[in-house]
Amino acid sequence: MYQFEHKIRVRYAETDQMGYVYYGNYATYFEVARAESIRSLGLSYKEIEEEGVIMPVLENYSKYLRPARYDDELTIKLSIPKLPDTRIRYEYEVFKGDKLIHKGYTVLVFVDRNTGKPCQMPEILTKILHPFFE
């Protein structure tokens, strides 16, 4: 299993009238954690796209447990529970301090940019992720 942690501080613009993080921003937090997790492995989404593979989101699920507010520091714990093939599932837990406040998952599909059809995980990503699943 692959695991990664990323910290983010809630900005004022990310809160709603009630002072809570607006619910839609959790999808953005998930995306930031995904991009940074790949970057931490020495790769970027841009490089994957340059290989001719795009990764649209197929599913996005969120469960809100407790609110986050302006200036809270959040830790996003990301995991990839199984080695991807044509799809990759990311699972997330968002913590404020030691309290779990949010959890969710996204499923992305690998798509050949030229044909628009699903394809296998690109080789450059396979080489990087495979050791975490041996």
Side-chain angles (χ1 to χ4, degrees), residues 5-6 8 17 24 46 55 67 90 102 110 113 121 123:
E5 288 186 17
H6 183 70
I8 193 164
Q17 187 174 1
K46 183 177 180 183
M55 298 170 59
Y90 291 93
H102 190 96
F110 298 105
R113 173 179 272 161
M121 178 171 53
E123 187 64 29

Side-chain angles (χ1 to χ4, degrees), residues 5-54:
E5 288 186 17
H6 183 70
K7 293 191 182 297
I8 193 164
R9 187 164 300 278
V10 176
R11 295 169 291 202
Y12 188 77
E14 296 167 344
T15 62
D16 59 21
Q17 187 174 1
M18 297 173 286
Y20 296 159
V21 169
Y22 179 68
Y23 74 93
N25 285 319
Y26 286 95
T28 301
Y29 296 165
F30 292 173
E31 181 180 2
V32 169
R34 283 195 310 271
E36 292 304 319
S37 73
I38 289 175
R39 189 177 318 284
S40 77
L41 295 169
L43 190 61
S44 71
Y45 269 103
K46 183 177 180 183
E47 290 171 284
I48 294 169
E49 290 175 351
E50 287 170 352
E51 293 289 314
V53 177
I54 56 175

Side-chain angles (χ1 to χ4, degrees), residues 30-31 42 44 51 56 58 74 79-80 97 99 106 110 114 117-118 121-123:
F30 292 173
E31 181 180 2
S44 71
E51 293 289 314
L58 188 63
L74 306 179
S79 64
I80 301 172
K99 289 192 167 81
T106 54
F110 298 105
N114 295 323
K117 298 194 185 276
M121 178 171 53
E123 187 64 29

Side-chain angles (χ1 to χ4, degrees), residues 74-98:
L74 306 179
T75 302
I76 302 153
K77 295 184 178 183
L78 170 152
S79 64
I80 301 172
K82 70 174 212 157
L83 185 65
D85 46 34
T86 59
R87 296 177 181 186
I88 184 168
R89 179 183 170 110
Y90 291 93
E91 297 181 354
Y92 313 90
E93 292 181 320
V94 180
F95 288 84
K96 182 169 63 174
D98 62 351

